[in-house]
Amino acid sequence: MKRVLSGIQPSGQLTLGNYIGAMQNFVKLQETEECYFMVVDLHAITVPQEPAALREQTEAVAALFIAAGIDPAKSSVFVQSHVRAHAELGWMFTTLAYMGELERMTQFKDKSAGKESVGAGLFVYPTLMAADILIYNADLVPVGDDQKQHLELSRDLAHRFNTKYGDYFKVPEPYIPKVGARIMSLDDASKKMSKSNPNPGSFIALLDPPDVVRKKISRATTDSGREVKYDPANKPEVSNLLSIYSHCAGQSIEQIEAKYDGQGYGAFKKDLAEAVVSVLEPLQAKYNEIRSSGAIHDILKQGAERASVVADKTLADAKELMGFLAPKR
């Protein structure tokens, strides 16, 4: 079995894009691989967070993992800050990273643009992300296109450590599905669907009620013309909606194109809304059950304990290779 590691930040509401681009893949991967899925709360604080909101969102994201089909008996589900080795190895990798390569990170440039001051955490958090991945010696890392640059840094740091201190870390590979890896905004298909978008109509939140989902999809931007065709270059808006439909209904793009041949966008969007609702309603029911039962706390405790067994050994090995004096036992 290959080892898989991925995580989602507890900032804002998780969206249908998170579900299709990440969580659906998590569910598939746990059937064949050894999986570690975490709520990355240490990454969330690279920008200011309200304490009560951070706690609530951390629990909510963890519960949505389980509601989406991640089985805590098959996968380790945990909160990043509950496994302390992440932060320590993150600092060690910060000392191996160069200013220039961190300055080139697209997400840092985007998030710091136009701001008078930027927190140092936002600048160095890619080295913590590298530690998240490498501390489990992960073989595969499910990432969206926008995270490939950070994975490349993780690969570079693994090579750098191995060259300097001895061959220890695996060099991880990205896992990127061909269709639906990056679900785009409902109001502008040139931008990724994001929970941080100030326009709530641009994304479908996993906890949106059915009527809200239907309204958002009915108002989703479409291209000129009437043809329901997958053509990202010339019809990006409809192509994005087709990707969503395909993943929610379990049908191929070709099947959906044939179904709406000559019908225009009206019937297509109406049925798309029902396909999305049919996915979200059972997920929301299971989420509410998990939250009301309080079971998520035991799940996270057990997940952190299993993850710590692997992470603590990796940290101890890496510290020994770097020349740290081990404490007396």
Side-chain angles (χ1 to χ4, degrees), residues 5 38 42-43 80 83-94 124-138 150 153-155 157-158 169 311 314-315:
L5 181 283
M38 60 181 174
L42 294 174
H43 289 303
Q80 182 188 26
V83 180
R84 295 183 178 183
H86 284 255
E88 192 168 348
L89 188 64
W91 168 250
M92 290 158 65
F93 280 134
T94 299
V124 301
Y125 95 91
T127 59
L128 177 58
M129 185 180 292
D132 296 336
I133 296 164
L134 298 175
I135 204 161
Y136 299 102
N137 263 319
H150 288 152
L153 178 66
S154 301
R155 290 167 55 85
L157 290 173
F169 287 110
T314 303
L315 177 63

Side-chain angles (χ1 to χ4, degrees), residues 100-314:
E101 57 194 355
L102 294 175
E103 287 171 344
R104 288 193 294 273
M105 292 289 134
T106 303
Q107 285 210 357
F108 171 73
K109 290 191 285 189
D110 289 347
K111 290 184 178 181
S112 61
K115 295 183 179 176
E116 290 184 10
S117 61
V118 180
L122 188 62
F123 184 68
V124 301
Y125 95 91
T127 59
L128 177 58
M129 185 180 292
D132 296 336
I133 296 164
L134 298 175
I135 204 161
Y136 299 102
N137 263 319
D139 299 284
L140 298 175
V141 183
V143 292
D145 289 340
D146 58 330
Q147 291 289 348
K148 286 172 68 176
Q149 192 182 30
H150 288 152
L151 183 60
E152 282 303 315
L153 178 66
S154 301
R155 290 167 55 85
D156 290 343
L157 290 173
H159 278 300
R160 200 168 297 159
F161 184 99
N162 292 347
T163 300
K164 192 169 184 179
Y165 299 110
D167 194 15
Y168 181 75
F169 287 110
K170 288 183 182 178
V171 180
E173 295 292 336
Y175 172 80
I176 304 175
K178 290 182 180 178
V179 179
R182 199 174 192 208
I183 299 300
M184 312 308 283
S185 172
L186 296 180
D187 63 346
D188 182 355
S190 68
K191 299 177 181 177
K192 182 181 176 181
M193 183 179 285
S194 172
K195 56 194 175 186
S196 61
N197 192 315
N199 174 17
S202 70
F203 62 84
I204 295 170
L206 292 183
L207 298 177
D208 274 345
D211 287 348
V212 173
V213 172
R214 294 184 181 104
K215 185 177 293 185
K216 286 182 177 181
I217 289 177
S218 71
R219 294 176 177 176
T221 304
T222 48
D223 308 283
S224 59
R226 299 179 67 253
E227 191 177 15
V228 178
K229 182 175 178 58
Y230 189 79
D231 182 356
N234 298 306
K235 296 176 75 70
E237 311 289 352
V238 170
S239 297
N240 182 46
L241 297 180
L242 274 164
S243 284
I244 295 172
Y245 199 139
S246 175
H247 280 270
C248 290
Q251 299 177 25
S252 70
I253 296 289
E254 293 76 17
Q255 286 176 315
I256 301 167
E257 287 177 331
K259 183 176 180 179
Y260 297 99
D261 184 29
Q263 292 193 47
Y265 297 147
F268 166 69
K269 290 174 80 172
K270 184 177 180 181
D271 291 348
L272 167 60
E274 296 312 310
V276 173
V277 168
S278 72
V279 168
L280 295 188
E281 279 191 319
L283 182 150
Q284 291 170 3
K286 190 169 183 181
Y287 168 85
N288 290 328
E289 179 187 329
I290 294 163
R291 290 301 302 269
S292 62
S293 71
I296 195 63
H297 298 287
D298 288 332
I299 290 170
L300 292 174
K301 182 176 184 290
Q302 292 162 10
E305 287 171 351
R306 290 202 301 269
S308 292
V309 171
V310 178
D312 289 347
K313 183 183 185 305
T314 303

